[in-house]
Amino acid sequence: MKTLGYYNGKYGELEDMSIPMNDRVCWFGDGVYDAGPCRNYRIFALDEHIDRFFNSAGLLKIKMPVTKDELKKLLQEMVLKMDTGDLFVYYQVTRGTGPRAHIFTEGPSNLWISLTPAKLSDGTKPLKLITTEDTRFFHCNIKTLNLIPSVMAAQKAEEAGCDEAVFYRPGGRVTECAHSNVHIIQDGMLRTAPTDNLILPGIARAHLIRMCKKLGYTVNETPFTLEELFDAEEVIVTSSSKLCMHADMIDGRPVGGKQPEMMETIRKALLDEFYDATAE
């Protein structure tokens, strides 16, 4: 199949799938999601993504309709139905289906899955970024479906001819990007925001931290500011669909480019890890 969708046991091409209007996602965005890359029919870092998915659901008191092992088995079975093994694997759970009411709906939750062809970037092409004040709510650590602030920020970046938007809070603290985590290299050290309630604990972020430590680089998980972002030796953007990218422009100002050997060592090591984990 070219694409594949799943909704509570029903399968089909994505364009042929439909959902009930009373699914709570339609009224409230009441659900959580996770996603990641697949190569050669092997889903990368699946255990980590599933753990975060179940954690997000638990934080919103959503009862999962499957176990972790059942979901992993289902995802692997669906991947094998595809024409290509290079995919973006997306899954979400919504609280349930029922008449619109703010109080929780009784009954089972709804499981959605979508598979679409996608190839992971090798990270060699630099990104252009913009900054925008972070006006999102204070549960950024939950991978909720309520993504309107991120959608608006991503559109702002698109209209500025940029690839991503970097969020900052009043006072200048940098948090993350519209759909990525952002980090800096400063004095040969990786700086990345702590995993408090203001950022999503990215899986690619965790791999970046582990790899930097493995390579012998110091890692500092403390907040950094816009000023430090612009003065950084390198600016790194990570996500499950773009494991390790570097930025060369923010708000029209050149940034980074001062630690190219360190940047290339990290990028190559993370890409090799992905290739090894998804080898045939």
Side-chain angles (χ1 to χ4, degrees):
M1 301 187 74
K2 293 181 179 179
T3 66
L4 182 57
Y6 172 98
Y7 184 81
N8 289 346
K10 296 179 180 179
Y11 297 84
E13 291 278 357
L14 288 178
E15 63 183 20
D16 298 327
M17 297 296 291
S18 60
I19 62 166
M21 186 172 177
N22 274 341
D23 188 310
R24 285 178 65 90
V25 71
C26 300
W27 308 121
F28 305 110
D30 193 357
V32 298
Y33 77 102
D34 222 294
C38 176
R39 177 174 172 268
N40 293 327
Y41 296 96
R42 295 179 180 272
I43 304 173
F44 182 64
L46 182 57
D47 288 343
E48 295 166 81
H49 283 281
I50 294 297
D51 286 345
R52 183 174 64 177
F53 184 47
F54 273 71
N55 181 66
S56 291
L59 290 172
L60 288 187
K61 300 181 179 179
I62 294 176
K63 296 180 181 179
M64 297 295 291
V66 292
T67 66
K68 290 182 180 181
D69 287 340
E70 288 170 342
L71 179 56
K72 285 186 278 190
K73 181 180 178 182
L74 175 59
L75 291 172
Q76 287 292 168
E77 289 174 349
M78 290 182 63
V79 162
L80 295 176
K81 297 178 184 291
M82 297 295 290
D83 294 343
T84 175
D86 295 347
L87 304 161
F88 184 65
V89 181
Y90 175 96
Y91 34 100
Q92 70 180 35
V93 63
T94 63
R95 194 176 303 278
T97 304
R100 187 184 186 281
H102 283 74
I103 58 173
F104 290 179
T105 301
E106 295 292 335
S109 55
N110 298 322
L111 179 64
W112 309 37
I113 300 171
S114 72
L115 304 183
T116 51
K119 286 188 177 293
L120 189 80
S121 169
D122 65 6
T124 56
K125 182 180 178 181
L127 303 178
K128 291 179 172 54
L129 312 178
I130 62 168
T131 58
T132 186
E133 186 173 350
D134 191 347
T135 58
R136 299 173 300 166
F137 68 146
F138 288 93
H139 295 290
C140 303
N141 56 310
I142 303 175
K143 207 165 176 66
T144 171
L145 297 171
N146 291 278
L147 294 173
I148 288 299
S150 293
V151 167
M152 299 305 291
Q155 179 63 26
K156 181 179 178 181
E158 172 72 14
E159 292 173 357
C162 294
D163 304 286
E164 179 63 296
V166 180
F167 285 128
Y168 63 89
R169 293 281 177 173
R173 174 188 164 177
V174 174
T175 51
E176 55 186 356
C177 296
H179 47 278
S180 316
N181 288 120
V182 62
H183 329 267
I184 61 174
I185 294 175
Q186 183 183 62
D187 300 325
M189 168 181 61
L190 178 72
R191 290 280 304 280
T192 183
T195 51
D196 55 16
N197 66 310
L198 297 182
I199 77 161
L200 181 76
I203 303 300
R205 172 189 178 277
H207 280 247
L208 172 67
I209 290 172
R210 288 201 297 269
M211 186 58 70
C212 282
K213 291 179 178 178
K214 181 178 179 180
L215 294 170
Y217 299 129
T218 300
V219 176
N220 184 339
E221 296 183 66
T222 58
F224 57 90
T225 65
L226 278 174
E227 182 179 0
E228 290 172 309
L229 177 72
F230 282 106
D231 291 340
E233 294 168 346
E234 298 288 351
V235 177
I236 301 175
V237 175
T238 61
S239 72
S240 293
S241 58
K242 296 179 175 62
L243 293 182
C244 184
M245 307 290 289
H246 68 284
D248 65 354
M249 191 79 68
I250 303 178
D251 288 345
R253 295 166 52 183
V255 296
K258 301 171 186 174
Q259 284 275 11
E261 292 184 6
M262 180 178 176
M263 183 68 240
E264 178 60 14
T265 297
I266 295 170
R267 183 200 68 81
K268 187 176 184 303
L270 286 168
L271 202 64
D272 286 346
E273 178 189 45
F274 172 72
Y275 287 155
D276 289 345
T278 58
E280 291 183 281

